[in-house]
Amino acid sequence: MASPTATRTTTAVPVPVKWTLRLVAVGYVFFLVAWPLALLVQQTFDGGLTNLLDALGDEQVISALRLTGIVAGLAVVINLVFGVTISLLLVRYEFPGKRVLSALIDLPLSVSPVVVGLALVLAYNGRNGLVGPELEAAGFQVIFNSPGMVMATCFVALPLVIREVVPVLVEVGDDQEQAARSLGASGPQTFWRITLPSIKWGVVYGVVLSLARSVGEFGAVKIVSGNYTGRTQTATLVVEQKYQNFQQGEAYATSFLLILVSIACLVVVALVRPQSHS
Amino acid sequence: MTSALVERGSPPPVDPGADVPTGGGGGRRRPRRSRRSGPRSTLTRGAGLGLGVAVLWFSILVLLPLAAVVAVAAEGGVSGYVSVLQNDQTWAAVTLTVTQAAVVTVVNVLVGTVIAWVLVRDSFWGKRLLDVIIDVPFALPTIVAGLVLLSLYGPNSPLGLQWAFTPSAVTLALAFVTLPFVVRTVQPVLEELETDVEEAAASLGAKRSTIFRRIILPSLVPAIAAGAALSFARAISEYGSLVLLSGNRPFETEVVSVRVLTFIENGNNTSAAAVASVMLFVALVVIVLLDVLQRRVARRG
Amino acid sequence: MSIEVSGLTKRFGDFVALDDVNVSLPTGQLTALLGPSGGGKSTLLRIIAGLDTADAGTVTIEGTDATRLPPQKRNVGFVFQHYAVFKHMTVAKNVAFGLEIRKRPKAETARRVEELLELVHLSQFSHRLPAQLSGGQRQRMALARALAVEPTVLLLDEPFGALDAKVRKELRDWLRRLHDEVHVTTVFVTHDQEEALEVADEIVVINEGRVEQVGTPDQLYDEPANDFVMGFLGEVTTLEGQVLRPHDIEVATHPVPGGVQGRVERVLRIGFEVRVVVAVADRPDVTVVLTRTHSRSMHLEAGAAVWLTPAEGAISVASGRQREAASA
């Protein structure tokens, strides 16, 4: 029914349908993501560099950015070590309860950040938490303090490294590790010289995803941190406060910096992706 | 970049070393252990230690706090649950959240599949950019996402739209943060779908609509369902992007997460825990559903 | 004896991979573990290497009880079917791996790597990555890597199984020549009887987790222990309850004493051979192989009545244990 000039193969879609689908896809993404994002960047630079300079001159913003860096960095390192360990265990070993563990690992992906924050508060707050008072008596304050913020960030980004590393581990198989062992390498030698190099792109990918998620965490950290200016306030919390205090310029500028981090993560991912597939 | 979030099937069991047909050399070398043999530990001492430490950390970080939520919620007993959920404002928040999440999921199923199709089968200038932009909502901090949406749909909208603080704002925010899920689950499946199957159907006389309905769609359904599940789970738990955008008006734009937060801020931890435990239950159901769906996707692949 | 295996048993769930296996493999020889897929030969090899552990039984390597030793302490070289090359290392680094683990001096390692690459004809590729090599080259590299640590025994698991027919044949000859030069005790697993017969000093036939026969290629061919061994080493047919080779049956177009009467079902010409399928009463069809000239002189055609007798001096065994593998 389609004219021969319009279709190159028997299964090609007719031109009007193709254009409609293309328009729907591009239009939806343009109005939902691209345009609003561009507008925000434009608003940031409305007065030239004023907004950005204001923000960078504001001690509150600077200390929040620093705190975000520290908390996200720690959370990424912890999730990296935990994630690679769990991935190796899930792929290379058999043990009772493995399937349950594998399913539970994914749980943080679908738990609301607010619930994450609440859960940590109920477990660790010093007044009436499940184990909080005992910890506090031992001089260890978790809630309204940095350990709780690192934990909240770890929680929300927990499965990301695992979800990247597990398929890579499955794909590379254990042949190389066995060869290394037959050549006399010990467990740690095999891990550092053989396993890690062969999964490194999967690990990098997972780390970048975790970093983006950790830097951007808002709800869980808001509840756990207590949002004390200059002490437990992260960059995302500053954006909220500045916007609500009608310091919109600084809110835009801080957002812009966070957008830069996200875009940088996306660029790294785009560069890494072909490598991990080769 | 969320593709990998949903692609993973369950890891295959570690192969034992029995030999198997070696025919072309491309096949698997060793058979899988029979399912009946049950779990058997192959942990070495070092691996056992690693498992111990990892499970301990996981318990401290995830299991103990979630148990605390359930424990606190249970303090109020069944009547506690009923009274919390019967509260008009809470019930309105639940209804709004579920309705909006459902609407957004349907939109994602339709538009997400179209976007995935365009990314795989179409080619035009700027497609690569489109591919990257799809991931922006995943990488962007949620509070920033709210601010971003305000710039086009808020008070200073260049389009003259004033959607902020209305239920449309909730739809908008949820659609934004869930954009990647269906696209990134369907895309890889569509990529692997051989066009020769469609050509075979065409050569057998099937019309284009028939090919879509009987050949393409059935292979996409598990992936679409998995993407929909993820998207629904994310939507009902969303908080950050709504803070600045929706205004959190009771009975109008207040979602469940915000309701929980209000309970927390008012020091009403029991009610917060009761609502949170219901959300947790939904999250668990979604996880189980996803596990089943992923197994099905893996089997097809 | 270089390798002593006794009472070895291994199960995977309900599947018995090895059932009380006892084998002695002499020092310096090239031994093939031959058998159908799934018969347990790879499992045996992996247990010798320490990559799998047996449920029962012991493994002794050069007088040392190795049953409980981890693979890295056994000093065996293992070559995998799919090469198991270290993809992120150059060819030279791959070969040097075992020596670096053993902390040999740099100069010694470099010299040894050079020697080995020479031996496997890969000297000019030493700085390439494995991805830039062909399958045959990768397997030669894997062999050099295994030999670098001067193993007590060299174990090869279907080493040529993933290669195409031509390369497989080349590597097979090359392995034989290499073994004559290096003289390390070598055990390789194969399901290809031609490969085993051509390369090995001694063959261990393994099926369904048991050793069926151990012997030189000639012994296996001339004195098969049972119909399975006979069937696995070449084509067989059954005449009056005796298993024998199709070319060891004489055909007559007239009644002969002791001859089994039958009727020609099909005549197939394959190159210089003619394959005749004969239907006999109450038994499966018998296959006979004749030369083309012989067949033509007898005017064999479908429907013709014939009488079959075993040829003089034909090797045959009683068909006791019918197995599907025999027809492979």
Side-chain angles (χ1 to χ4, degrees):
Chain A
M1 277 178 287
S3 70
T5 49
T7 54
R8 288 173 56 184
T9 69
T10 44
T11 55
V13 171
V15 169
V17 176
K18 188 160 129 182
W19 274 97
T20 310
L21 294 176
R22 197 183 283 182
L23 212 66
V24 167
V26 173
Y28 188 79
V29 174
F30 177 75
F31 281 102
L32 192 62
V33 186
W35 196 6
L37 196 65
L39 276 175
L40 185 89
V41 175
Q42 190 202 324
Q43 282 166 350
T44 308
F45 293 102
D46 256 353
L49 289 176
T50 326
N51 286 338
L52 213 52
L53 292 175
D54 279 354
L56 290 175
D58 185 338
E59 183 53 38
Q60 187 189 355
V61 174
I62 293 300
S63 75
L65 284 171
R66 196 184 302 127
L67 185 61
T68 289
I70 293 168
V71 169
L74 276 174
V76 167
V77 170
I78 292 171
N79 277 345
L80 170 65
V81 174
F82 174 82
V84 172
T85 309
I86 285 280
S87 305
L88 276 171
L89 289 165
L90 288 180
V91 177
R92 294 284 188 263
Y93 297 91
E94 290 295 327
F95 51 89
K98 187 169 122 165
R99 263 203 74 180
V100 178
L101 183 64
S102 172
L104 279 178
I105 290 291
D106 285 342
L107 193 59
L109 274 188
S110 52
V111 176
S112 168
V114 173
V115 176
V116 173
L118 174 70
L120 288 169
V121 166
L122 291 181
Y124 296 112
N125 83 73
R127 214 156 33 82
N128 55 4
L130 210 56
V131 294
E134 287 81 358
L135 286 174
E136 201 126 305
F140 203 70
Q141 192 197 347
V142 177
I143 302 303
F144 307 139
N145 201 0
S146 33
M149 298 167 70
V150 174
M151 284 176 82
T153 311
C154 277
F155 191 128
V156 296
L158 183 84
L160 297 177
V161 169
I162 298 167
R163 296 194 72 111
E164 294 309 319
V165 172
V166 161
V168 182
L169 268 177
V170 170
E171 200 190 306
V172 297
D174 61 351
D175 278 11
Q176 296 184 53
E177 290 162 18
Q178 291 189 353
R181 282 197 294 148
S182 80
L183 289 167
S186 66
Q189 279 173 323
T190 308
F191 175 77
W192 290 109
R193 287 168 178 250
I194 304 300
T195 313
L196 198 56
S198 57
I199 60 170
K200 70 178 167 203
W201 292 118
V203 173
V204 169
Y205 198 63
V207 163
V208 172
L209 288 178
S210 302
L211 186 69
R213 187 78 182 78
S214 301
V215 167
E217 182 42 38
F218 174 73
V221 167
K222 180 176 173 180
I223 294 169
V224 166
S225 70
N227 201 1
Y228 298 125
T229 305
R231 198 166 69 76
T232 63
Q233 193 173 49
T234 60
T236 49
L237 297 175
V238 156
V239 171
E240 184 196 20
Q241 199 180 39
K242 291 282 175 193
Y243 189 81
Q244 285 171 344
N245 290 350
F246 303 103
Q247 292 171 291
Q248 286 161 349
E250 283 190 41
Y252 292 143
T254 313
S255 293
F256 175 74
L257 293 175
L258 290 171
I259 291 172
L260 283 188
V261 174
S262 313
I263 301 282
C265 288
L266 287 181
V267 168
V268 171
V269 162
L271 293 177
V272 164
R273 195 183 271 168
Q275 305 242 32
S276 62
H277 281 259
S278 68
Chain B
M1 106 173 147
T2 37
S3 63
L5 282 177
V6 282
E7 268 174 277
R8 185 186 110 205
S10 66
V14 179
D15 287 332
D19 33 20
V20 124
T22 40
R28 293 182 62 85
R29 284 143 292 148
R30 293 170 240 138
R32 291 175 172 209
R33 174 175 300 148
S34 86
R35 283 203 176 273
R36 279 168 295 165
S37 66
R40 189 180 59 114
S41 175
T42 57
L43 294 172
T44 58
R45 199 183 305 157
L49 185 71
L51 181 65
V53 173
V55 168
L56 181 68
W57 171 239
F58 187 68
S59 307
I60 292 173
L61 186 69
V62 178
L63 299 181
L64 180 77
L66 293 184
V69 172
V70 177
V72 172
E75 277 170 18
V78 178
S79 58
Y81 268 97
V82 173
S83 71
V84 169
L85 288 176
Q86 269 180 346
N87 173 302
D88 285 345
Q89 195 181 338
T90 310
W91 189 245
V94 170
T95 324
L96 175 77
T97 309
V98 172
T99 322
Q100 291 287 2
V103 167
V104 163
T105 303
V106 170
V107 171
N108 276 328
V109 164
L110 298 175
V111 182
T113 309
V114 168
I115 295 175
W117 187 91
V118 167
L119 286 177
V120 174
R121 293 290 172 84
D122 204 353
S123 68
F124 53 91
W125 186 88
K127 190 179 98 169
R128 185 96 179 83
L129 186 65
L130 179 69
D131 200 7
V132 174
I133 294 178
I134 296 294
D135 285 331
V136 166
F138 186 82
L140 213 60
T142 48
I143 187 79
V144 176
L147 209 52
V148 162
L149 288 172
L150 267 176
S151 65
L152 184 59
Y153 302 97
N156 302 320
S157 166
L159 293 175
L161 296 169
Q162 181 39 294
W163 287 2
F165 318 131
T166 71
S168 304
V170 179
T171 321
L172 206 57
L174 298 187
F176 184 92
V177 296
T178 57
L179 169 67
F181 292 110
V182 172
V183 178
R184 295 304 189 215
T185 37
V186 172
Q187 198 178 358
V189 180
L190 207 52
E191 260 162 18
E192 280 181 19
L193 203 68
E194 305 284 343
T195 42
D196 59 2
V197 182
E198 292 163 44
E199 285 169 358
S203 74
L204 292 168
K207 280 190 296 188
R208 216 169 285 114
S209 57
T210 317
I211 295 175
F212 180 76
R213 201 162 35 82
R214 307 227 357 219
I215 309 291
I216 303 180
L217 206 54
S219 6
L220 295 186
V221 163
I224 293 177
L230 278 173
S231 159
F232 186 78
R234 177 68 205 263
I236 58 165
S237 60
E238 181 53 24
Y239 170 68
S241 59
L242 293 162
V243 173
L244 301 177
L245 191 61
S246 77
N248 305 329
R249 297 179 176 175
F251 300 101
E252 211 178 316
T253 62
E254 187 185 51
V255 295
V256 178
S257 299
V258 174
R259 189 83 190 109
V260 173
L261 196 79
T262 314
F263 279 132
I264 297 173
E265 282 170 348
N266 295 341
N268 189 352
N269 280 351
T270 316
S271 300
V275 180
S277 61
V278 174
M279 292 173 76
L280 263 182
F281 177 73
V282 176
L284 260 179
V285 170
V286 171
I287 285 291
V288 172
L289 196 70
L290 258 183
D291 195 55
V292 172
L293 287 171
Q294 279 177 337
R295 264 157 224 283
R296 192 162 300 170
V297 175
R299 214 175 309 138
R300 298 225 177 173
Chain C
M1 285 296 167
S2 180
I3 303 174
E4 286 273 358
V5 169
S6 63
L8 220 55
T9 299
K10 175 75 176 174
R11 286 189 191 82
F12 294 110
D14 301 338
F15 176 70
V16 181
L18 293 175
D19 184 10
D20 191 24
V21 168
N22 298 285
V23 193
S24 304
L25 304 172
T27 304
Q29 274 202 354
L30 180 55
T31 308
L33 303 182
L34 174 68
S37 297
K41 52 198 193 308
S42 278
T43 307
L44 176 58
L45 197 76
R46 292 172 60 83
I47 290 175
I48 294 174
L51 296 172
D52 273 336
T53 46
D55 298 330
T58 58
V59 176
T60 312
I61 299 173
E62 293 291 353
T64 319
D65 181 7
T67 316
R68 303 258 152 253
L69 280 183
Q72 59 264 37
K73 299 243 171 81
R74 295 194 184 199
N75 201 36
V76 296
F78 201 98
V79 175
F80 297 78
Q81 181 182 2
H82 293 269
Y83 330 127
V85 295
F86 302 143
K87 291 183 189 137
H88 59 287
M89 296 181 189
T90 62
V91 171
K93 276 282 174 197
N94 261 276
V95 177
F97 184 84
L99 298 168
E100 285 177 2
I101 290 291
R102 285 168 176 69
K103 302 207 162 50
R104 296 281 166 79
K106 277 220 164 67
E108 186 196 324
T109 303
R111 188 175 46 74
R112 184 101 183 96
V113 169
E114 205 174 306
E115 269 173 34
L116 280 160
L117 288 179
E118 190 88 17
L119 186 72
V120 299
H121 309 297
L122 287 175
S123 299
Q124 69 271 39
F125 300 116
S126 67
H127 295 294
R128 291 212 189 161
L129 284 173
Q132 297 164 290
L133 301 183
S134 70
Q137 289 170 332
R138 278 184 226 179
Q139 196 58 300
R140 295 210 306 265
M141 184 197 85
L143 205 62
R145 185 177 70 182
L147 286 172
V149 299
E150 294 172 344
T152 329
V153 291
L154 181 64
L155 307 173
L156 303 97
D157 187 5
E158 298 265 6
F160 313 131
L163 301 167
D164 66 50
K166 186 165 169 289
V167 180
R168 190 153 67 212
K169 197 146 171 47
E170 282 170 17
L171 273 188
R172 192 193 285 174
D173 298 341
W174 176 81
L175 175 68
R176 181 68 243 184
R177 285 202 307 276
L178 183 82
H179 182 260
D180 293 343
E181 273 177 55
V182 185
H183 276 304
V184 59
T185 308
T186 306
V187 184
F188 76 102
V189 160
T190 179
H191 65 277
D192 177 349
Q193 84 280 359
E194 198 185 309
E195 194 165 288
L197 291 171
E198 216 179 284
V199 179
D201 298 319
E202 190 163 82
I203 299 175
V204 179
V205 182
I206 296 180
N207 182 42
E208 291 185 352
R210 283 185 299 273
V211 174
E212 298 278 356
Q213 191 174 4
V214 182
T216 63
D218 283 348
Q219 280 171 339
L220 257 59
Y221 207 84
D222 295 338
E223 305 152 33
N226 52 44
D227 59 334
F228 173 80
V229 174
M230 187 156 177
F232 199 75
L233 260 54
E235 200 191 351
V236 290
T237 190
T238 308
L239 177 64
E240 290 287 286
Q242 290 292 306
V243 178
L244 66 174
R245 306 271 176 224
H247 56 252
D248 279 348
I249 295 177
E250 302 230 5
V251 184
T253 46
H254 50 83
V256 288
V260 178
Q261 194 186 350
R263 193 171 41 78
V264 174
E265 284 277 298
R266 269 194 315 282
V267 180
L268 294 168
R269 292 177 187 81
I270 303 158
F272 57 87
E273 275 183 359
V274 176
R275 179 177 291 259
V276 182
V277 180
V278 179
V280 293
D282 305 330
R283 300 242 187 196
D285 290 354
V286 180
T287 306
V288 183
V289 172
L290 304 169
T291 63
R292 193 152 193 158
T293 340
H294 192 182
S295 148
R296 201 179 293 146
S297 71
M298 287 198 294
H299 304 290
L300 285 181
E301 274 168 11
V306 289
W307 283 262
L308 306 175
T309 47
E312 198 145 324
I315 298 154
S316 70
V317 294
S319 96
R321 301 186 295 168
Q322 280 295 339
R323 297 206 191 150
E324 54 180 25
S327 62

